[in-house]
Amino acid sequence: MRLRVRNTGDVVDEYRFEPVGDLAPWTRVEPQTLRLYPGTTGTVEVSFAVPRTPDAAAGPHPYAVRITPTEHPEATTVPEGNVTVTPFTEVRAELVPPVVKGRLRGRPKLAVDNLGNTKVTASLSGSDNGDQLSYDLDPGNVQIEPGRAVFVKTRLKPREIIWFGSKQERPYTLAVQRSGVDPLEVEGKFVQRGFLPGWLATVLGMTLALAVAFVIIWLTYKPDVRSLATEQMAQAEAGAIPVPSPALSAPAALPSAGPSQVEKAPEKEEEDTGDAAGAGSEEEESSGDGGGQEEEESVALVGDLIVGNGSDRCVTVPLEKGKAVDGTGLVLQDCDPEAANQRWDFRGDGTVRSMDMCMDVAWASKDDGALIQLARCSGNPAQTFVTSDEQYLINPQSLKCVDAMWSGTANGTGLHLWTCGDTPNQKWQRQSV
């Protein structure tokens, strides 16, 4: 831009120009001094070289130029203006480390840097050829301020375990998806090791073969040895027992007391048996009484399903160890009428509740791309939603709609706030179950 200066004094004066304010490092004035006669006008050029860095945030920035006369320094003046910096986005992603090794899982981290001058909202996903790995990304959706970075914890888990054998390399790809642009893909490699080393399999095989051979030999020779020993002992006992004489076998009257003794013995056995049976019946009664005391209580499911027209999937609260966590982003999942984390209670105060918490716009934002999450109910206008005849779910504070990110329909697709448009990913149906 041009800055015109007029000497309204009565002497020749020299004027010095100095940029001031936050934009001073990016501002240049040429020439830096100007000599004017009384009643004359001069012009200088003021240029701005805004760097392509996050420091130059998008939006209006004030600037100023201090003009100091040499002859009359007390007459210094400072004209001001505004420069609007346009937004730009630049996102970089890197896996740390790019190669991980493990038997049952791998735990790399994905670093996502926002090198632009405006906030970035993105979702994360993983894929590989052959669907050999499963992916657990925490968090699955991110919002990154200019000049900042986030680290996403990634857990890779092979779908098949290698029990024995050499390691196998499984390449995979993590994608950073933003609205309106192609996904940013980062490639990594998971080296899956065998659960047990190969030499151990050989040792175990040989040990098992030796054990089987030993059992076969033992079963083959054990009966012969046992039979010989038994026969020898029987022969020795037969030779040692004396033959009774007829005189010693005379007392035949002694067994007369035997029948009464023999008859009483069964009675005692019956009494013992009866007592045991009674005790058994008492145990059965006590066990029967105790078994019916504990009954599982059914959990009442309150609310309706919210089904997306574009995906035919339900708005779901992701659970952590079976519980809902404050600040969890909402996602789409296959509908399950018996799942409490898919039931939504539309209250008279405008709140939409699930798991004793409220649907919420993150940070009470009114901007496109603000995350739709579950939060503790606070009466904030960001927790108020109304339905419309067009099947929109609208936040009255921002007059914007709940939107499935990037028109996604797959399981795990996140939800955010977006300007209402006639698209299926912004239309929802309440289904009573």
Side-chain angles (χ1 to χ4, degrees):
M1 49 90 59
R2 292 184 177 181
L3 178 63
R4 292 192 305 169
V5 182
R6 181 176 179 81
N7 185 357
T8 58
D10 53 2
V11 297
V12 177
D13 208 341
E14 184 178 57
Y15 300 88
R16 297 191 305 274
F17 302 91
E18 179 185 5
V20 294
D22 294 339
L23 293 188
W26 308 334
T27 306
R28 183 178 181 182
V29 182
E30 290 184 348
Q32 296 182 354
T33 61
L34 190 65
R35 188 177 182 83
L36 298 176
Y37 288 94
T40 60
T41 302
T43 303
V44 295
E45 297 284 343
V46 181
S47 58
F48 304 93
V50 181
R52 187 180 173 86
T53 64
D55 296 333
H61 294 264
Y63 72 91
V65 178
R66 181 188 294 121
I67 305 174
T68 306
T70 303
E71 298 296 332
H72 301 283
E74 70 280 358
T76 299
T77 183
V78 184
E80 299 178 352
N82 278 306
V83 172
T84 299
V85 178
T86 56
F88 75 94
T89 58
E90 183 177 350
V91 178
R92 294 181 184 176
E94 180 183 6
L95 272 171
V96 183
V99 178
V100 291
K101 301 178 181 180
R103 293 181 174 85
L104 300 178
R105 61 182 55 88
R107 298 179 182 272
K109 289 185 179 180
L110 179 65
V112 184
D113 298 277
N114 181 7
L115 303 181
N117 64 350
T118 185
K119 183 168 62 177
V120 169
T121 300
S123 67
L124 307 167
S125 61
S127 62
D128 61 271
N129 293 330
D131 195 24
Q132 298 175 340
L133 302 173
S134 63
Y135 304 87
D136 184 9
L137 304 175
D138 183 22
N141 302 289
V142 294
Q143 284 191 340
I144 313 173
E145 297 294 332
R148 298 296 182 89
V150 297
F151 286 88
V152 180
K153 296 179 181 179
T154 304
R155 185 171 68 176
L156 309 174
K157 187 176 181 181
R159 300 187 184 276
E160 295 183 359
I161 299 176
I162 302 175
W163 293 103
F164 298 100
S166 59
K167 60 185 178 182
Q168 296 184 12
E169 295 183 353
R170 305 191 186 280
Y172 66 94
T173 302
L174 298 183
V176 181
Q177 298 177 339
R178 295 180 290 136
S179 179
V181 298
D182 294 334
L184 175 62
E185 296 184 345
V186 183
E187 295 182 352
K189 186 182 297 183
F190 175 61
V191 180
Q192 184 180 358
R193 298 169 175 169
F195 194 79
L196 298 174
W199 62 264
L200 183 58
T202 303
V203 172
L204 291 178
M206 295 178 62
T207 304
L208 180 61
L210 292 174
V212 171
F214 174 78
V215 171
I216 292 174
I217 295 172
W218 184 78
L219 292 177
T220 302
Y221 289 97
K222 179 181 177 181
D224 295 337
V225 174
R226 185 173 183 181
S227 176
L228 292 174
T230 304
E231 293 176 358
Q232 291 177 359
M233 290 179 63
Q235 292 175 2
E237 291 177 356
I241 296 175
V243 178
S245 63
L248 295 177
S249 60
L254 291 176
S256 61
S260 60
Q261 295 175 358
V262 174
E263 289 174 0
K264 290 180 181 180
E267 291 180 359
K268 182 161 184 152
E269 290 179 0
E270 290 177 358
E271 291 176 358
D272 295 339
T273 305
D275 294 341
S281 62
E282 290 177 359
E283 290 177 0
E284 291 176 359
E285 290 176 0
S286 63
S287 62
D289 294 338
Q293 291 177 356
E294 297 182 358
E295 294 182 1
E296 183 177 357
E297 298 181 359
S298 59
V299 179
L301 300 176
V302 179
D304 302 331
L305 301 177
I306 303 178
V307 184
N309 285 10
S311 63
D312 200 26
R313 288 184 166 89
C314 288
V315 177
T316 307
V317 180
L319 302 180
E320 183 175 329
K321 297 182 179 179
K323 295 184 180 180
V325 179
D326 182 26
T328 300
L330 303 183
V331 298
L332 293 178
Q333 289 290 350
D334 292 332
C335 296
D336 181 3
E338 300 301 324
N341 61 329
Q342 291 187 353
R343 293 295 190 94
W344 296 94
D345 186 11
F346 287 76
R347 298 288 183 89
D349 58 358
T351 59
V352 183
R353 305 192 179 198
S354 179
M355 309 293 287
D356 295 328
M357 296 189 194
C358 287
M359 186 180 293
D360 176 274
V361 181
W363 304 294
S365 175
K366 301 179 182 178
D367 299 333
D368 285 347
L371 186 67
I372 302 298
Q373 63 182 7
L374 191 73
R376 294 186 180 90
C377 299
S378 62
N380 193 313
Q383 296 182 351
T384 302
F385 295 86
V386 297
T387 58
S388 68
D389 295 338
E390 296 83 3
Q391 296 183 324
Y392 294 133
L393 188 56
I394 302 173
N395 172 237
Q397 175 185 246
S398 60
L399 295 179
K400 294 184 178 180
C401 289
V402 175
D403 176 286
M405 293 181 178
W406 310 288
S407 300
T409 60
N411 282 332
T413 299
L415 305 183
H416 61 186
L417 194 69
W418 206 263
T419 303
C420 298
D422 191 17
T423 55
N425 64 312
Q426 291 186 349
K427 295 190 176 183
W428 312 90
Q429 298 182 25
R430 289 175 57 184
Q431 290 187 4
S432 299
V433 181

